[in-house]
Amino acid sequence: MIRSVAFGVGWRYAFSRRSSISFISSVALLGLALSVAVLVIVVSVINGFERELRTRLLGLLPHVTLQAREALVVDAADLDALRTIPGVAGVASFIQGAGLAAVSDRQSGVLIAGIDPDSYGSVSAVSTFTAGGVLEPGRFQVWLGSGVANVLRVEVGDSVTLVLPSALMTPAGIFPRQKRFSVSAIISSRSEIDSRAAYIHQEDAQRLFRLGDRVHGFQLRLDDLFDASEVAAAAVHVIGPERVFSRTWMRTHGTLYHAIGVQKTTMFVLLSFLVAVAAFNLVSTLVMVVDQRDGDIAILRTLGCDSGTIVWAFVLLGVCLGVAGIALGMLVGVACALSLPEFYGWISATFSLDLMNQYFVSYLPVRVIPQDLLGIAVTALVLCVAGTLYPAWRAALLRPSEVLAHE
């Protein structure tokens, strides 16, 4: 009963209209809510980038590439040996080379990839972004990235010329090796691949690159991304280090992936200090409650309320204020985070901005993870509880005789 009365006194004067502390209490609560909301939004955006890197970009790119030192003939025994390596989910041969896509007076640099559509789906999800386009051998068809298609101003059914940097000797002189292809699909993955991709059938690539029945190597997809180094070493051993060398996704995009992880941890720590500052405002509020209502606390002590009860009451008051601020911040943060992609799209379309042109995706990704929300809530609550200890201890040290003597 006495504990309930003690808590009621603190709560009443923390939010009473007649109390000068009510405004400060409201500001402290809103400050905590704003800090939590900012932390939720920032962490959700970083989670979105991490998800897009894992599922979109690394879903399109093979995890391990075995580059042939010299073009080699596809051997079924080599493919079977690679599939038996633990951790390998898919294997496909490939041909790849830099080139130029041209239409009239418009050109765009591309990375020409010769693939077998029947097997390439086991190492890359690129076909899921082509809206049903097909690659048939001998018909010289090409899948172009949407960025390349925009530069060339072409659509499905139009023709483009793929030009290789190697020269072709003819009686009329030296000409670059080139071939006209028809666009059978536009790749729209909304990633950096769209700005340079040109996929053609492997048989057409063998003719364009004049490889005969040879290829440039093999590409692997793994069950676990982070086994890339071990699997790459095993794959090189299987095929032979004198024939191939390996290149993993960690070499091309590993730095970016680790940078996102480090940035998430760094931002969480830095913004936790913002939450700590907001929690300190609760300390100030509770200290003012103690100073202004010391007479009520003294009366409670004379009625038999011990120091532990006073401490418990002020800690509970701080926890209630903290929980209210954290809950409000969570609701606001999640709502703002989920609406950010549409808001960014509207801003970009309205003001013709391309703020994401330096990133591997062209939009603002957001991912709200419940575990992260729980971590933010627990961190903020711990800071709030820690902040209530000093005011509670100060209230417990009040001496009723000295306080009431001055009333």
Side-chain angles (χ1 to χ4, degrees), residues 80-357:
D80 293 338
L82 291 173
R83 292 189 183 99
T84 60
I85 298 175
V88 174
V91 181
S93 57
F94 77 98
I95 297 172
Q96 186 171 279
L100 189 70
V103 175
S104 185
D105 60 343
R106 300 180 295 276
Q107 303 88 27
S108 176
V110 293
L111 186 63
I112 304 171
I115 64 172
D116 181 359
D118 296 332
S119 61
Y120 200 69
S122 64
V123 299
S124 172
V126 64
S127 60
T128 62
F129 299 98
T130 58
V134 297
L135 292 177
E136 298 181 9
R139 298 190 60 180
F140 294 99
Q141 298 170 319
V142 61
W143 292 344
L144 279 183
S146 58
V148 179
N150 290 336
V151 171
L152 301 180
R153 286 180 273 176
V154 296
E155 298 178 351
V156 174
D158 294 338
S159 296
V160 299
T161 301
L162 296 184
V163 184
L164 299 183
S166 56
L168 180 65
M169 297 294 297
T170 68
I174 301 176
F175 292 93
R177 190 179 304 169
Q178 58 185 355
K179 180 65 180 179
R180 185 177 296 273
F181 285 76
S182 64
V183 179
S184 65
I186 303 295
I187 302 171
S188 183
S189 65
R190 302 182 71 184
S191 68
E192 65 179 25
I193 292 177
D194 295 348
S195 63
R196 55 182 172 83
Y199 289 87
I200 62 178
H201 197 281
Q202 191 171 101
E203 293 185 12
D204 297 338
Q206 288 172 333
R207 298 176 186 175
L208 179 63
F209 287 88
R210 296 193 171 185
L211 294 175
D213 58 352
R214 296 170 298 168
V215 297
H216 286 157
F218 306 100
Q219 293 177 330
L220 314 179
R221 186 170 184 83
L222 310 182
D223 294 322
D224 187 347
L225 287 171
F226 300 100
D227 290 339
S229 298
E230 293 78 5
V231 173
V236 170
H237 178 73
V238 167
I239 302 300
E242 72 282 354
R243 300 174 62 196
V244 298
F245 62 91
S246 65
R247 184 176 66 251
T248 70
W249 72 272
M250 298 187 72
R251 178 180 175 183
T252 56
H253 293 85
T255 302
L256 176 60
Y257 184 85
H258 289 296
I260 291 176
V262 171
Q263 186 178 33
K264 177 180 177 180
T265 303
T266 303
M267 294 302 296
F268 185 90
V269 173
L270 292 179
L271 292 177
S272 293
F273 286 108
L274 182 62
V275 177
V277 171
F280 181 78
N281 291 334
L282 291 180
V283 177
S284 303
T285 300
L286 295 178
V287 169
M288 294 183 66
V289 171
V290 173
D291 290 340
Q292 292 195 7
R293 311 318 305 179
D294 54 357
D296 296 314
I297 297 172
I299 292 174
L300 290 173
R301 292 294 303 275
T302 60
L303 293 175
C305 183
D306 56 16
S307 298
T309 301
I310 296 295
V311 171
W312 181 89
F314 276 92
V315 170
L316 183 58
L317 175 60
V319 169
C320 290
L321 291 173
V323 169
I326 292 170
L328 179 61
M330 286 288 176
L331 292 176
V332 173
V334 171
C336 291
L338 295 178
S339 62
L340 271 181
E342 293 185 2
F343 179 72
Y344 170 79
W346 177 80
I347 288 291
S348 299
T350 303
F351 298 99
S352 300
L353 300 176
D354 188 13
L355 302 177
M356 305 294 292
N357 60 349

Side-chain angles (χ1 to χ4, degrees), residues 18-38:
R18 295 176 298 173
S19 173
S20 61
I21 306 173
S22 59
F23 176 75
I24 300 176
S25 300
S26 301
V27 171
L29 190 148
L30 293 176
L32 178 61
L34 179 61
S35 302
V36 171
V38 170

